[in-house]
């Protein structure tokens, strides 16, 4: 459903993404890992149209979306993105925060949106916070709200960029569990994460990047137990070492 062909991104100091090609199938969960600075965030930002690209193509359902003529506000509604920093409006309740996009941008029926909002909040265990303000929630709860906010736009694919990286350790699990649940329900997702156990559990396929290139790609069991490249081996070792 998503095809990336030979993507090149250059901020002006040489390519940060240097000919990246990725296909994502419907209902597939693709996990992208790699050292800091290798281009993971840039890749997601390119897919979501937040960055102009210098080469290659991005197609969503066969439709080229990296075109000058494209209506980005429309495309972006088909691609949900959750970042490290959930940016909720402080002066709005949780319900107001999450229903704003679907009602104001997508012009969906308010009652329908609110019903879906309640259902989704319930699913992530936050129905009791529906009338709370962001300041009354923990980081993990706010991040779950941010995921619900993206889901309420009913995107075709969800992009997650290190969504647990800024959270206190005890809140990481509750957010990862929400993503695991989404995966089980068949959401199409691209997840950038440093949580290796989670990556292994959630991924249908893993891509390991370094310096703007895909170094290795494979099934999670194979990748995590028997990486083919020395670079992936080294990276996984470093990670295990840091975790202990
Ligand atoms: P990752 O998410 O894997 O840590 P990034 O995509 O954030 O990596 O960054 C990849 C490279 O692009 C880095 O060298 C970074 O310094 C550079 N970079 C990222 N954003 C910008 C920007 N807005 N302008 C210039 N360089 C950038
Ligand atoms: Mg990043």
């Amino acid at each position: 459903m998503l095809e990336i062909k030979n993507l090149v991104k250059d901020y002006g100091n040489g390519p940060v993404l240097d000919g990246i090609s990725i296909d994502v199938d419907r209902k597939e969960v693709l996990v992208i890992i790699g050292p800091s600075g290798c281009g993971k965030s840039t890749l997601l930002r390119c897919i979501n149209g937040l960055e102009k690209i210098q080469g290659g193509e991005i197609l969503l359902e066969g439709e080229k979306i990296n075109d000058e003529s494209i209506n980005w506000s429309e495309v972006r509604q088909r691609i949900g993105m959750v970042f490290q920093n959930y940016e909720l409006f402080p002066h709005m309740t949780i319900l107001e925060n999450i229903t704003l996009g679907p009602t104001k941008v997508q012009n969906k029926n308010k009652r329908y949106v609110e019903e879906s909002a309640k259902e989704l909040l319930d699913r992530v265990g936050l129905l009791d916070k529906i009338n709370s303000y962001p300041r009354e929630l923990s980081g993990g709860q706010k991040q779950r709200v941010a995921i619900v906010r993206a889901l309420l736009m009913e995107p075709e694919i969800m992009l997650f960029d290190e969504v647990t990286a800024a959270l206190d350790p005890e809140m990481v699990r509750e957010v990862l569990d929400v993503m695991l649940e989404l995966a089980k329900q068949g959401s199409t997702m691209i997840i950038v994460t440093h949580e290796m156990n989670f990556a292994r559990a959630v991924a249908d396929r893993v891509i390991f990047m370094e310096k703007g290139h895909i170094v290795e790609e494979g099934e999670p069991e194979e990748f995590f137990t028997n990486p083919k490249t020395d670079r992936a081996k080294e990276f996984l070792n470093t990670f295990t070492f840091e975790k202990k």
Side-chain angles (χ1 to χ4, degrees), residues 4-38:
I4 301 167
K5 295 181 186 171
N6 256 311
L7 174 62
V8 176
K9 171 66 195 171
D10 191 333
Y11 289 105
N13 304 306
V16 160
L17 299 175
D18 197 3
I20 297 277
S21 296
I22 298 174
D23 283 348
V24 184
D25 290 333
R26 185 181 305 280
K27 300 195 177 192
E28 188 176 26
V29 178
L30 177 68
V31 169
I32 300 178
I33 62 174
S36 177
C38 72

Side-chain angles (χ1 to χ4, degrees), residues 29-33 189-193 199 202-203 205-208:
V29 178
L30 177 68
V31 169
I32 300 178
I33 62 174
M189 308 197 271
I190 302 180
I191 301 173
V192 171
T193 183
V202 79
R205 193 153 50 99
V206 179
I207 280 181
F208 173 64

Side-chain angles (χ1 to χ4, degrees), residues 88-185:
L88 303 175
F89 292 113
H91 60 286
M92 294 171 110
T93 66
I94 297 310
L95 182 67
E96 288 164 350
N97 261 287
I98 63 181
T99 56
L100 185 69
T103 55
K104 294 284 183 283
V105 180
Q106 294 181 319
N107 289 313
K108 284 189 189 146
N109 176 280
K110 193 169 173 201
R111 195 175 301 164
Y112 164 77
V113 172
E114 290 192 354
E115 280 312 305
S116 314
K118 282 179 197 162
E119 236 168 74
L120 282 171
L121 283 176
D122 195 25
R123 253 166 58 191
V124 304
L126 292 175
L127 189 53
D128 59 329
K129 303 291 183 194
I130 191 162
N131 294 314
S132 300
Y133 286 86
R135 64 171 180 277
E136 300 170 295
L137 271 59
S138 72
Q141 291 172 332
K142 278 187 273 202
Q143 194 56 293
R144 282 183 278 158
V145 169
I147 293 173
V148 166
R149 177 181 53 184
L151 288 173
L152 260 188
M153 304 283 279
E154 300 181 306
E156 291 160 47
I157 182 166
M158 287 279 289
L159 315 177
F160 295 90
D161 192 3
E162 295 196 39
V163 294
T164 61
L167 296 178
D168 290 333
E170 69 269 24
M171 291 166 189
V172 169
R173 190 72 250 164
E174 64 195 42
V175 175
L176 298 182
D177 283 344
V178 168
M179 288 193 275
L180 275 170
E181 191 57 37
L182 290 175
K184 251 191 252 163
Q185 285 158 2

Side-chain angles (χ1 to χ4, degrees), residues 51-65:
E51 300 288 350
K52 227 179 145 168
I53 67 177
Q54 279 68 47
E57 282 189 335
I58 306 175
L59 298 104
L60 183 62
E61 298 282 6
E63 187 189 336
K64 205 170 155 185
I65 59 170

